[in-house]
Amino acid sequence: MANGQGHGGTGGYGAPPQDSYGPAPYGQNPYAGQNPYAQPVPPPQAYQPQQPYPAQQAHPAPQPYPAPPSQPAPRPPHPAARFGAPPASGPGGPGGFPGPAPRRNRLAVLLQFLLQWIYAPLWVLGLVLLFVVLILADYSGGGPSSDGWLKVNRGFIPPRRLRAELTGRPEHWERYVAPVLERRIAAAEASYAAGGGEVQPDLGRVVGVRLALRLYRGLGAAGVVRLAESRGWHGVASGTDAGHVRLARHFPAPATLNAPSPHDPPAAPGTPWGPQPVRFAPLLPFVLLLQIVYAPVYGLLTCWVKRPEPDYWDRWGARWTVGPRAFRAEFTNSPAAWDRHIRRILERDSNRTRPTTTRTPDGTLALRIHLKRATYRGAGAHQALRIAAAQGWTLDPAYTPDPANSLRLTRPAAPTQP
């Protein structure tokens, strides 16, 4: 089968650049260097030597009035104030986070710990039988909420929490909560590194963590916030939700955007911005058929098992699945087919019923889309950037470019879009 890629020849993505988008409207690469939306770093202050202490007078001049007391310097605002969260001024204090909750009855805790080894397996078995019955009965109604009785672990007391429940001492609760909090924070920061988080008007991103009351009952929300602040996080007001404590962290916009310009020569094949190797074409029909079986099974397993990589589905799917839209482009490996596929995905994402829009620093609405690796595998991220630039898209300054896995783009939203 002929390969239409043609790297290094007179056609394809390895050829010299074709001026298909006209002359460059700017003289330098807008994607390299300093991010205009990044927070400025204050210059280091020069060292000022202290003045020599004046010689002490033998008879100091008398002071007719005592010197007025110096006013304390104003304290800088708490970092949580910019997100509408009150500072943790103390347990139960004004504007602070609540302290420890009332202790549970020791006898009830012991009974729950002993009986859970009996009812927890029966609980799981009942859920499995229920789902089997629903599948065999071809049930099409709304399923039960996964936030309710489906979570068996919510009624389970692990042995490491039993001591904290029985003693009620804050130091025992802190030993239990600290590892849980570290895992939640690590997962949230991994989500940020994979492109998660809510984009803010300053193009920084905020990620959050929520802990249930059963995990910190004897420590209190104030104690959890204190542990989080030592890791660079802060507490957020939970409002009427007294059963959880909310934490957040603000990450500024990346300082630099190291990426080629759409008018630069095409990136070489095999480089992060260049075309990537495609899969063996005769195997693609079998992959397309077999993924109907193993893709749903994998998706069901990932609902119960948390992976440290939040974008693992996108990366795994780009390697072991093929979409119906990308099948022809990857099967023929033709530059024209890849270009058509990229333009089709751009048009689909631009015309969504509910597009992703956020405010920019100047107050305008910006439309944001996310191109996955499978969209431009054989064409390369640089070619996708060239096609998107012709439609007004640019690299999103709120994200660090990751061309080997995804491409995040933005452009001003149309006036008719919400």
Side-chain angles (χ1 to χ4, degrees):
M1 177 169 48
N3 188 345
Q5 190 71 18
H7 299 301
T10 58
Y13 303 118
Q18 301 293 332
D19 194 8
S20 57
Y21 304 113
Y26 32 75
Q28 60 182 356
N29 185 0
Y31 300 104
Q34 188 72 18
N35 185 353
Y37 300 107
Q39 296 182 0
V41 180
Q45 299 181 358
Y47 173 74
Q48 300 291 342
Q50 297 182 356
Q51 298 294 334
Y53 194 83
Q56 187 175 4
Q57 300 179 1
H59 300 283
Q63 298 290 338
Y65 298 102
S70 59
Q71 298 293 334
R75 299 179 61 183
H78 193 270
R82 62 182 300 182
F83 303 102
S89 59
F97 295 92
R103 291 178 55 185
R104 296 180 58 192
N105 184 272
R106 295 183 181 181
L107 180 59
V109 172
L110 286 175
L111 288 177
Q112 181 179 352
F113 179 77
L114 295 176
L115 296 177
Q116 69 186 3
W117 305 102
I118 301 175
Y119 69 76
L122 298 177
W123 194 342
V124 175
L125 180 60
L127 292 177
V128 173
L129 294 177
L130 176 61
F131 278 106
V132 170
V133 172
L134 294 178
I135 292 175
L136 296 179
D138 195 16
Y139 180 72
S140 58
S145 174
S146 59
D147 293 333
W149 54 275
L150 290 179
K151 296 290 185 178
V152 183
N153 60 318
R154 298 195 175 188
F156 196 86
I157 299 180
R160 55 186 178 179
R161 199 175 83 200
L162 178 63
R163 182 182 181 185
E165 290 275 9
L166 294 178
T167 62
R169 303 179 62 177
E171 57 269 21
H172 293 164
W173 276 102
E174 184 171 345
R175 291 195 198 102
Y176 168 71
V177 175
V180 177
L181 183 62
E182 289 179 0
R183 290 195 300 269
R184 300 287 183 90
I185 288 179
E189 293 178 350
S191 174
Y192 163 78
E198 183 180 354
V199 180
Q200 302 300 305
D202 61 350
L203 295 185
R205 283 180 287 155
V206 172
V207 292
V209 169
R210 189 179 71 165
L211 270 70
L213 179 62
R214 68 178 185 277
L215 302 177
Y216 62 90
R217 178 183 301 275
L219 190 61
V224 176
V225 172
R226 174 179 54 82
L227 294 177
E229 288 178 347
S230 64
R231 294 164 174 81
W233 287 61
H234 61 264
V236 179
S238 300
T240 59
D241 187 8
H244 295 83
V245 60
R246 300 177 185 272
L247 309 171
R249 182 174 181 180
H250 177 267
F251 291 89
T256 57
L257 298 177
N258 296 322
S261 170
H263 298 277
D264 287 346
T271 59
W273 286 94
Q276 302 297 320
V278 296
R279 290 168 288 189
F280 188 50
L283 291 179
L284 290 179
F286 298 97
V287 174
L288 183 63
L289 294 176
L290 293 178
Q291 72 184 15
I292 301 176
V293 177
Y294 62 75
V297 175
Y298 176 83
L300 181 62
L301 293 177
T302 53
C303 292
W304 297 94
V305 180
K306 273 193 173 182
R307 302 196 61 88
E309 304 87 358
D311 60 341
Y312 191 80
W313 172 261
D314 296 340
R315 301 189 181 191
W316 182 87
R319 291 180 175 88
W320 300 104
T321 62
V322 55
R325 297 183 180 92
F327 178 80
R328 181 177 180 181
E330 191 169 0
F331 187 79
T332 60
N333 200 21
S334 169
W338 280 111
D339 289 355
R340 286 193 301 269
H341 177 58
I342 294 173
R343 290 189 177 93
R344 184 166 56 245
I345 297 300
L346 287 173
E347 182 180 1
R348 182 201 66 180
D349 293 347
S350 303
N351 299 328
R352 284 179 177 174
T353 306
R354 300 180 63 183
T356 303
T357 56
T358 54
R359 293 284 180 182
T360 58
D362 56 3
T364 59
L365 284 176
L367 178 64
R368 288 182 159 85
I369 61 174
H370 178 202
L371 297 183
K372 300 178 182 179
R373 176 190 177 188
T375 304
Y376 55 84
R377 181 202 302 268
H382 189 202
Q383 178 64 13
L385 183 61
R386 290 163 59 89
I387 296 175
Q391 303 181 15
W393 295 97
T394 59
L395 283 178
D396 197 335
Y399 300 88
T400 302
D402 186 19
N405 297 297
S406 63
L407 199 63
R408 296 182 180 270
L409 306 172
T410 182
R411 75 177 183 187
T416 56
Q417 292 177 348

